[in-house]
Amino acid sequence: MRSLLNRAAHAYYVLDAPLMEDAVYDRLYRELLELEQAHPALLSDDSPTQRVGGAPAEGFVSVRHRIPLLSLDNAFSVEELEAWYSRLLKVLDRTPAAGEPLPALPMVGELKIDGNALALSYEHGVLVRAATRGDGEQGEEITANVRTIQSVPLRLQLASPPPWLEVRGEALIPDPVFAAINRERAERGEALFANPRNACAGTLRQLDPKVVAARRLDFFAYTLHLPEDWQAGTETGDPLRPGSQWQSLQWLQSAGFRVNPNAALLSDLAAVEAFCATWEERRHELDYATDGVVLKLDDLRLQDEAGFTQKAPRWAIALKYAAEEAPSRLLRLEAQVGRTGAVTPVAIFEPVPLAGTTVSRATLHNADRLVELDLHSGDTIVVRKAGEIIPEVVRVLPELRPVGAQPLQLPHTCPECGSALVREDGEAATRCVNNGCPAILRGSLRHWVSKGALDVDGLGTKLIEQLVDRGLVRSIPDLYGLDAALLASLERMGEKSAANLMVALQASKQQPWHRQLYGLGIHHVGEVTARALAQAFPGVDALREAALSDPAPITAIHGIGAEIAQSLQQWFATPANEDLIQTLRQRGFALAPAPEEQAAAAVEPAEKPLAGLTFVLTGTLPTLSRSQAQARIEAAGGKVTGSVSKKTSYVVAGAEAGSKLAKAESLGVPVLDEAELLALLA
Ligand code: IVH
């Protein structure tokens, strides 16, 4: 753990090329701290916990800060924030008596800007030196570079400035500028910066200030240090010496600094928590990165009283936003069988909080991914969950692998039915091909009753499980032979819900032809394709005829290619599927358009799944051309536009996506890859 974290710190501070997400580093660092606290004998001088910051790099002159730059303690939840507040009350000797409410201490809430801290020194109002944070004691002198940042005043707007003053703040590169820099680097074939903060760090260490000037850095000031005995002359019109953090921000602003406009004076813990919640949401509106909020006790005298721990003030804390990536320990691997028989490896790991929920399982997509990741039992893995997307395992940290750990493999037999799994040449998926496999049956039933298909209300996953496990349903048509008394006798069912379900099942027979077709769950026939096929073929007989003898009328349909035609051919050639069609007919399914459907062949726009959504396409998608993707989206009722705005519903990004992707990320517009777009269309 020590050597991994040391390497990560070196990559971050010296090479400007991070090895892992900050959140992952933070969590591992915490775990190391806890281990060292629990086993002090294991503590060693080379532990990353034994230093304040990063090592200064070569190429610049190292300077000692007049006042060291401290770091901040982190809280990762509201509970940790509250614990910090209680500790603060305790050092200030203000812990309430039992039963009394917590005393309210005014706080300043600021955004935690994910940039690079700078220390600026002014003498008699003139910028004389700028330095990086370095290890907090010593940094690198980068005055020439910092002088190119427009929002850093070279001379303060004060009539009678103090003999010296020190300002701390954050240098940053706004997201659109970052995207442009990376675009240019890509054009020149140079390595890309991992994120705006690294681009900023790399820029500040440029030996040529002209390059820095071209990169348009920005700076927000947040800390002011004045000589202890200095007071503003009252006749000068200069602002008075601040007595609080809030006044310091105002002082900095009137002296000519840019101060982040989103800081707020918060009267109590409730206001603090509201501020944090608001910015966790609103952070995406900003065009620069923030990774949390910083809370600072407002009153400077109380700050003094609270003092410092070894490396951080007791009077301030950073509340970090919910991480989208975190490390966890792998417990085991499970194989999940879907309705097509495709087997997905699923990692089960120690629960971790991630993007607002606690997760303990994540998909590995397919067997190739399993090999690529080289998972071993007991591995430390990095799990990611961004927005609504299902969690996935992005990486393994092999450095933390237990001695003697065995590589993990997908089982050779289906975990549900025991039959041998097969993988056909050129296919990514490993499959169970047993038509009677209960997992496949459950999946097919779930699909049949789903919203886009037959839309049967009241037939959830748990009920399907019971029906399959008890052998009451062995195929889709069996659903239509169930009787109300039997249904009512099942777990969590009653007469009322059974009767409702009977009605819903009966009504599903009237669903339009395209939904019936989609419900069959033919490989590659998603909602959009089913609609197109249903429009072209007036019933299952016509479709079967084409699929088995002459696929030309199928592939002639816009957006349908040989792959789909082949899948249809395979499906209709399977005897069990022919049985399925016949039994469904006996149960009352037309598998053809109803007469009134034929009349109103035009699809209602509101029925289209992507109606009202706006898409922007960028980069090269792996299989669809730009125009194919656009046609599919439009066929499903969506709109495709050329530029990203807050109104954009989704950006679909492929290889070499450029500024549109960056813009989407900065605006918080969800980004899809091709597979996700296809899933949405389906
Ligand atoms: S105050 C003693 N305020 O976060 C006070 N820091 O994790 C120390 N940061 O090194 C810093 N936004 O680079 C403060 N509004 C803000 C900040 C901020 C970003 C950074 C800063 C610091 C790091 C600590």
Side-chain angles (χ1 to χ4, degrees), residues 68-74 109-118 133 168-171 220-223 225 245 249 260 263 289-296 308 311-318 320:
L69 278 76
L70 294 155
S71 60
L72 290 169
D73 280 335
N74 291 325
E110 296 173 19
L111 303 187
K112 186 166 179 342
I113 294 152
D114 198 9
N116 301 92
L118 292 184
R133 177 174 188 281
R168 314 300 186 222
E170 206 79 355
F220 285 118
Y222 49 67
T223 304
H225 295 288
Q245 171 64 8
L249 293 176
N260 191 283
T290 58
D291 58 346
V293 294
V294 184
L295 301 157
K296 301 172 182 175
F308 303 87
K311 65 173 219 168
R314 288 201 187 86
W315 44 264
I317 190 131
K320 295 293 218 61

Side-chain angles (χ1 to χ4, degrees), residues 19-200:
L19 277 186
M20 54 181 77
E21 280 272 296
D22 288 8
V24 173
Y25 181 88
D26 286 349
R27 238 172 203 284
L28 291 171
Y29 184 95
R30 253 197 184 207
E31 191 174 337
L32 179 59
L33 260 185
E34 285 164 11
L35 282 171
E36 289 173 342
Q37 272 157 12
H39 309 281
L42 295 180
L43 189 58
S44 69
D45 285 345
D46 69 340
S47 175
T49 60
Q50 300 305 298
R51 72 157 123 217
V52 186
E58 285 167 27
F60 286 95
V61 178
S62 169
V63 290
R64 181 163 290 277
H65 299 299
R66 181 193 281 264
I67 299 164
L69 278 76
L70 294 155
S71 60
L72 290 169
D73 280 335
N74 291 325
F76 293 98
S77 64
V78 169
E79 291 71 37
E80 289 182 12
L81 176 74
E82 288 170 357
W84 163 76
Y85 191 71
S86 301
R87 286 197 302 276
L88 180 60
L89 291 177
K90 193 160 172 215
V91 283
L92 296 174
D93 207 13
R94 295 190 186 207
T95 304
E100 293 288 309
L102 289 184
L105 295 174
M107 299 271 166
V108 174
E110 296 173 19
L111 303 187
K112 186 166 179 342
I113 294 152
D114 198 9
N116 301 92
L118 292 184
L120 309 179
S121 309
Y122 289 81
E123 282 173 19
H124 302 289
V126 176
L127 176 69
V128 293
R129 203 177 71 183
T132 63
R133 177 174 188 281
D135 66 0
E137 301 282 337
Q138 287 184 45
E140 295 162 288
E141 206 251 47
I142 51 166
T143 316
N145 286 345
V146 171
R147 290 173 64 90
T148 70
I149 305 177
Q150 299 291 344
S151 40
V152 170
L154 301 181
R155 177 181 290 276
L156 302 179
Q157 295 167 12
L158 297 171
S160 174
W164 65 264
L165 71 85
E166 292 272 317
V167 171
R168 314 300 186 222
E170 206 79 355
L172 64 100
I173 290 186
D175 297 337
V177 178
F178 167 71
I181 293 173
N182 260 356
R183 207 161 44 240
E184 282 163 24
R185 289 175 77 87
E187 275 160 21
R188 288 196 300 266
E190 295 169 4
L192 300 188
F193 286 118
N195 54 46
R197 190 195 48 225
N198 287 104
C200 183

Side-chain angles (χ1 to χ4, degrees), residues 156-448:
L156 302 179
Q157 295 167 12
L158 297 171
S160 174
W164 65 264
L165 71 85
E166 292 272 317
V167 171
R168 314 300 186 222
E170 206 79 355
L172 64 100
I173 290 186
D175 297 337
V177 178
F178 167 71
I181 293 173
N182 260 356
R183 207 161 44 240
E184 282 163 24
R185 289 175 77 87
E187 275 160 21
R188 288 196 300 266
E190 295 169 4
L192 300 188
F193 286 118
N195 54 46
R197 190 195 48 225
N198 287 104
C200 183
T203 303
L204 289 169
R205 282 172 172 161
Q206 270 287 325
L207 290 167
D208 181 358
K210 281 204 223 58
V211 176
V212 184
R215 297 233 180 117
R216 304 209 305 281
L217 267 54
D218 209 337
F219 178 80
F220 285 118
Y222 49 67
T223 304
L224 169 66
H225 295 288
L226 289 165
E228 243 166 62
D229 51 358
W230 184 81
Q231 278 299 345
T234 42
E235 69 298 339
T236 58
D238 287 346
L240 294 180
R241 183 186 179 99
S244 69
Q245 171 64 8
W246 188 245
Q247 288 169 8
S248 293
L249 293 176
Q250 285 165 338
W251 197 98
L252 284 163
Q253 191 157 19
S254 43
F257 289 95
R258 202 156 119 81
V259 168
N260 191 283
N262 303 309
L265 187 56
L266 308 164
S267 55
D268 58 14
L269 206 52
V272 163
E273 286 169 14
F275 179 80
C276 300
T278 303
W279 282 104
E280 179 142 27
E281 283 268 312
R282 289 193 57 198
R283 60 190 290 211
H284 299 293
E285 295 169 18
L286 305 168
D287 74 352
Y288 47 86
T290 58
D291 58 346
V293 294
V294 184
L295 301 157
K296 301 172 182 175
L297 189 56
D298 188 38
D299 188 320
L300 297 184
R301 267 174 318 174
L302 286 182
Q303 283 190 3
D304 258 358
E305 214 180 293
F308 303 87
T309 64
Q310 207 185 5
K311 65 173 219 168
R314 288 201 187 86
W315 44 264
I317 190 131
L319 180 65
K320 295 293 218 61
Y321 296 137
E324 296 187 328
E325 279 189 19
S328 178
R329 205 93 59 226
L330 183 66
L331 297 174
R332 61 179 192 280
L333 198 65
E334 279 184 2
Q336 193 171 290
V337 185
R339 85 182 148 81
T340 62
V343 175
T344 312
V346 176
I348 313 293
F349 45 86
E350 285 172 7
V352 275
L354 210 55
T357 56
T358 298
V359 297
S360 57
R361 359 176 356 114
T363 173
L364 290 159
H365 302 297
N366 56 45
D368 284 344
R369 188 76 189 118
L370 186 60
V371 173
E372 210 173 274
L373 285 169
D374 190 27
L375 272 190
H376 285 56
S377 54
D379 261 346
T380 298
I381 54 179
V382 176
V383 189
R384 175 172 179 79
K385 173 165 172 276
E388 298 302 303
I389 301 164
I390 28 170
E392 57 176 336
V393 177
V394 288
R395 220 140 26 90
V396 175
L397 299 173
E399 293 88 345
L400 303 182
R401 177 167 294 156
V403 177
Q406 293 301 308
L408 291 175
Q409 282 183 331
L410 262 186
H412 297 291
T413 55
C414 174
E416 293 274 350
C417 68
S419 50
L421 297 177
V422 295
R423 182 167 181 186
E424 271 153 34
D425 286 345
E427 266 238 44
T430 306
R431 285 179 200 284
C432 171
V433 290
N434 167 19
N435 276 326
C437 174
I440 298 179
L441 177 56
R442 285 197 307 265
S444 313
L445 294 171
R446 269 202 303 274
H447 178 70
W448 178 260

Side-chain angles (χ1 to χ4, degrees), residues 37 115 223 373-374 412 480 494 496 508 540 587 678:
Q37 272 157 12
T223 304
L373 285 169
D374 190 27
H412 297 291
Y480 296 87
K496 181 97 178 106
S508 73
V540 76
R587 295 282 185 198
L678 292 173

